[in-house]
Amino acid sequence: MASNTKIPVEMDFNLDSFNNQKMYKGTMATAHRIKNLLFLKPGDLPSMPDAGINIQGYRFQSIDAILSGELKEKLSDQITKYITDIPSDNINIDLSQYNGEYYLLIRFSLYQTNQDIIFGMAQSKNDIVNFNFKI
């Protein structure tokens, strides 16, 4: 039986090892789409002026905005609007501090593939933000 489920595809600006447009599929494509929403600033895309979280604008020391649910609510709204193939109710956000650095972990549980996408960001005393994600 053929499934009507559409596999997400996301194009990258880089080339693959065959000099073709690099493309991500499935969960990796979903992770890249979420990453784009996290780092976009509202107004960056004229065709979608309210798309973007502007995660760089959050200072991890401002724990209230993160833990009060503001960031989670914003993420949920953006995903509901722009990434409709994943549920927006399974987002977990955790903030911790270790050796003067703040760590923000955002986890998305994808029920349809039984996988998690975890985004990790670290902010040092000098406000330098490091970012990575893992599936």
Side-chain angles (χ1 to χ4, degrees):
M1 272 169 101
S3 174
N4 290 338
T5 306
K6 195 171 157 185
I7 297 174
V9 176
E10 183 72 17
M11 293 186 356
D12 193 29
F13 288 116
N14 294 316
L15 299 175
D16 64 13
S17 55
F18 299 104
N19 283 331
N20 294 321
Q21 181 79 43
K22 191 170 192 173
M23 299 183 73
Y24 300 105
K25 295 180 182 174
T27 305
M28 186 61 81
T30 301
H32 280 275
R33 290 174 21 213
I34 295 170
K35 178 189 74 166
N36 290 339
L37 276 180
L38 282 169
F39 283 95
L40 274 175
K41 295 176 186 171
D44 281 351
L45 298 175
S47 62
M48 296 183 287
D50 59 340
I53 301 293
N54 187 20
I55 196 73
Q56 305 95 304
Y58 283 88
R59 294 292 175 238
F60 299 172
Q61 294 95 336
S62 171
I63 294 173
D64 293 340
I66 294 171
L67 296 182
S68 71
E70 177 186 322
L71 178 59
K72 184 176 179 175
E73 184 178 326
K74 208 177 214 184
L75 272 169
S76 180
D77 291 345
Q78 292 276 314
I79 287 172
T80 299
K81 190 169 185 178
Y82 298 109
I83 308 175
T84 58
D85 58 332
I86 65 170
S88 62
D89 60 344
N90 52 359
I91 303 168
N92 294 314
I93 296 177
D94 188 33
L95 181 70
S96 60
Q97 183 182 10
Y98 179 73
N99 285 340
E101 289 191 355
Y102 290 86
Y103 296 91
L104 177 67
L105 294 175
I106 304 172
R107 186 181 73 194
F108 296 87
S109 296
L110 307 178
Y111 299 129
Q112 67 271 33
T113 61
N114 202 23
Q115 293 179 306
D116 287 345
I117 301 172
I118 301 172
F119 293 90
M121 287 160 258
Q123 182 178 15
S124 67
K125 295 175 191 172
N126 302 327
D127 279 345
I128 297 172
V129 176
N130 293 314
F131 171 80
N132 204 349
F133 69 88
K134 182 176 179 158
I135 298 174

